Amino acid sequence: MSPAGKRAVLIGGAVVMVAIVAVAVVLLTGGSPAPEAAAEPTATSAAAGPVAPDPTSAAQLYLKDVAAEQTDEASLLTDNPHDAAAALRDAWYTLKPTGLQAKLGKVAEPAAGAAKTTAAYTLTWDLGPGHVWSYDGSLDLVHSGDSWRVHWTPAALHPKLQAGQRLVIATAPADEAVVVDRDGKPVVISGPGGTHLDPAAKFPLLTQALTGQGTSSPSDTFAVQRVDTSGKALETLFGKTESGQQAVKSTVSISVQNAAQAAVDSYRGKAVIVAIQPSNGGVLAVAQNAAAGTSPSALHGLYAPGSTFKIATATAALEAGIVTKDSQVACPLTARIGTRTISNEGFDLGTTTVHRAFAHSCNTSFGQLASQLPPDALAGAASQYGLNADFDIPGLTTEMGKVGAAGSADEQVEEGIGQGTVQVSPFGEAVMAATVAAGKAVTPKLWLDASSATTVNEGYRAPPASVLASVRAMMREVVTGGTATGLARSGTVYGKTGTAQFGDGAEAHGWFVGYRGDVAFCVFLEGGNDSGPAVTLGAKFLAGVK
């Protein structure tokens, strides 16, 4: 009797359900032979293929041969042995199962005179300890000549496979976000290339803090994936390539950082922008251009604040009851106060109001107000804005400022206009602006997770609401009719400009500190000599903040 005849006899006695067949794969010198090394069915072998007199027999024998890794034999039970053999061999070679079980389900009865029908199947792949993959599919069966065949499509191997696609094992973890920004956008990525900032997240001064908080993905990931002809993963069909870990949520904002970085990069000198969210203290952005170097001076560099410190001087004077914002004060071009001669930058307002003197940054007015205060009043007001506070933010080293009681009357006059011994950081100035906006003490933070909360070593209490209301009105006037009108078209902005001499007095720093909505920020131009460019950068920054 011929082999085909013997096969027909076996088919006649077959049962409807395929017996479970587990085949151990013996790996010699690296596994099964590569698909391209196996012999392909020839036209002669296909013609001499087994005869399956009915759909059930065709489906049974096909599944039995697939489960037994008899890929060539299984292909001869299809209407396209060449493609079927290649796909089945490839599946066995790439998945390398320790066993495969195949079960035939319901076979639909062909309609009268019809030459096609379908049969349900279940394949269960044993891919190693803890990795048993089972799924259901459907075979298309067609009558050809004197026999039934499985109509070959990739769906005869897996229901989601399409032409040109194949199954592969993925054991390397996929790139996934381990730190996200306040909007849920990826900031830190972990994957086969290690842990690093996402290309779209540019936080040069915060890189170490952000990547240090991210946890690498575990390396024991395992998945079966559907890939295209280029090897690109289209879908994970079994297992996972992600760790399943919840990404750590930071307070930073990629969009705000990009706006800040673009603004400082447009400036030729040393430029810094720090932005904080007043409502929760979240650090939104810390940007510093190449000219400013790589040391994070934005976070802990201490500098004379110049006239931005008039926010504290005005607060001390209002709290002491010396003036209200509408009180009359003198604003001459120069004034001799104690042994110090104080000058304005080329203007004289005569007798004016406190709020107008503040808006135009009148040094002679505020030097005089400072001279009338108790020795510790300016330090006390500065402390109410967090400039003497101390915070431990996980991953960051920050310094707010150093403002102590004046050592002499002359020193107090100088401190009243932000000179002398007063020192602040851009970070501290941003917190000061955030305090004005929030109306309460602001604890800066980089993380929204309670386990990474900021430690308050020395906190502070904000000025009274009535005082802050006056300060806000004066800061708004700075923009609408004072020294920062360059921000008048940037929305409802509140702020204060500052120019602070340093060294031998030949050079000066340029400042702008303020807020719009829930974004408080500080622009600092080291050695910028003027506050005008700081205002310009502030407008560029806000133009990019939506």
Side-chain angles (χ1 to χ4, degrees), residues 203-214:
F203 292 90
L205 297 185
L206 302 180
T207 298
Q208 186 173 351
L210 293 168
T211 56
Q213 191 74 5

Side-chain angles (χ1 to χ4, degrees), residues 21 113 140 149 167 177 179 200 219 232 259 268 270-271 288 300 314 317 332 355 357-358 377 413 425 467 470:
V21 180
D140 289 329
R149 291 283 183 263
L167 302 174
V179 175
S219 59
K232 178 183 177 182
R268 296 183 64 179
K270 300 177 180 180
Q288 186 168 302
H300 53 65
H355 65 79
F358 184 92
V413 171
S425 70
V467 171
S470 294

Side-chain angles (χ1 to χ4, degrees), residues 492-512:
T492 307
V493 182
Y494 301 74
K496 183 70 187 79
T497 57
T499 304
Q501 293 178 327
F502 65 94
D504 61 3
E507 293 184 282
H509 303 311
W511 295 87
F512 179 81

Side-chain angles (χ1 to χ4, degrees), residues 509-537:
H509 303 311
W511 295 87
F512 179 81
V513 58
Y515 66 93
R516 184 187 72 184
D518 204 20
V519 177
F521 64 100
C522 168
V523 181
F524 172 61
L525 307 181
E526 185 176 352
N529 293 320
D530 188 6
S531 63
V535 172
T536 299
L537 290 196

Side-chain angles (χ1 to χ4, degrees), residues 316-324 327-328 354 368-374:
L318 292 168
E319 286 194 87
I322 296 174
V323 291
T324 68
S327 295
Q328 298 288 303
V354 170
Q368 186 63 47
L369 287 176
S371 71
Q372 301 173 48
L373 295 169

Side-chain angles (χ1 to χ4, degrees), residues 62-390:
Y62 168 79
L63 292 174
K64 180 174 180 287
D65 286 341
V66 169
E69 199 183 357
Q70 301 297 320
T71 55
D72 288 351
E73 288 82 350
S75 71
L76 295 177
L77 286 153
T78 74
D79 59 359
N80 187 347
H82 180 276
D83 290 352
L88 294 172
R89 284 199 306 267
D90 180 68
W92 270 91
Y93 178 73
T94 56
L95 300 184
K96 292 182 171 60
T98 59
L100 172 60
Q101 297 175 351
K103 183 178 180 180
L104 179 63
K106 182 178 180 180
V107 180
E109 187 70 26
K116 59 182 180 179
T117 188
T118 59
Y121 70 86
T122 300
L123 292 183
T124 302
W125 301 80
D126 187 344
L127 303 174
H131 303 307
V132 176
W133 179 37
S134 184
Y135 55 86
D136 297 327
S138 178
L139 301 174
D140 289 329
L141 300 164
V142 295
H143 189 260
S144 176
D146 60 351
S147 181
W148 281 83
R149 291 283 183 263
V150 173
H151 173 57
W152 176 254
T153 68
L157 179 59
H158 188 280
K160 289 192 174 181
L161 279 181
Q162 299 175 20
Q165 299 175 3
R166 53 195 292 263
L167 302 174
V168 297
I169 295 289
T171 56
D175 281 347
E176 61 179 306
V178 292
V179 175
V180 296
D181 76 350
R182 65 170 184 170
D183 302 314
K185 297 178 181 177
V187 173
V188 178
I189 299 296
S190 180
T195 300
H196 54 89
L197 285 182
D198 185 272
K202 297 176 174 60
F203 292 90
L205 297 185
L206 302 180
T207 298
Q208 186 173 351
L210 293 168
T211 56
Q213 191 74 5
T215 303
S216 297
S217 303
S219 59
D220 61 347
T221 52
F222 181 94
V224 180
Q225 293 183 319
R226 179 169 61 95
V227 301
D228 63 15
T229 52
S230 69
K232 178 183 177 182
L234 302 173
E235 183 181 5
T236 295
L237 300 172
F238 172 72
K240 61 181 181 179
T241 56
E242 296 81 19
S243 67
Q245 297 178 128
Q246 194 74 15
V248 178
K249 193 163 189 178
S250 69
T251 64
V252 299
S253 166
I254 292 176
S255 61
V256 176
Q257 174 70 24
N258 288 345
Q261 196 65 52
V264 298
D265 286 345
S266 70
Y267 185 71
R268 296 183 64 179
K270 300 177 180 180
V272 161
I273 292 179
V274 178
I276 290 177
Q277 190 169 358
S279 61
N280 66 3
V283 176
L284 296 172
V286 180
Q288 186 168 302
N289 66 1
T294 57
S295 177
S297 57
L299 297 171
H300 53 65
L302 295 178
Y303 310 91
S307 291
T308 62
F309 193 73
K310 287 172 184 171
I311 294 173
T313 305
T315 297
L318 292 168
E319 286 194 87
I322 296 174
V323 291
T324 68
K325 69 180 180 63
D326 297 315
S327 295
Q328 298 288 303
V329 291
C331 178
L333 177 63
T334 62
R336 184 76 174 176
I337 307 172
T339 66
R340 294 290 188 269
T341 298
I342 304 299
S343 301
N344 296 323
E345 294 185 8
F347 66 90
D348 176 351
L349 299 180
T351 299
T352 187
T353 59
V354 170
H355 65 79
R356 187 161 181 258
F358 184 92
H360 290 274
S361 206
C362 184
N363 289 334
T364 54
S365 298
F366 279 83
Q368 186 63 47
L369 287 176
S371 71
Q372 301 173 48
L373 295 169
D376 61 350
L378 291 176
S383 294
Q384 289 180 307
Y385 289 108
L387 295 180
N388 283 319
D390 182 29

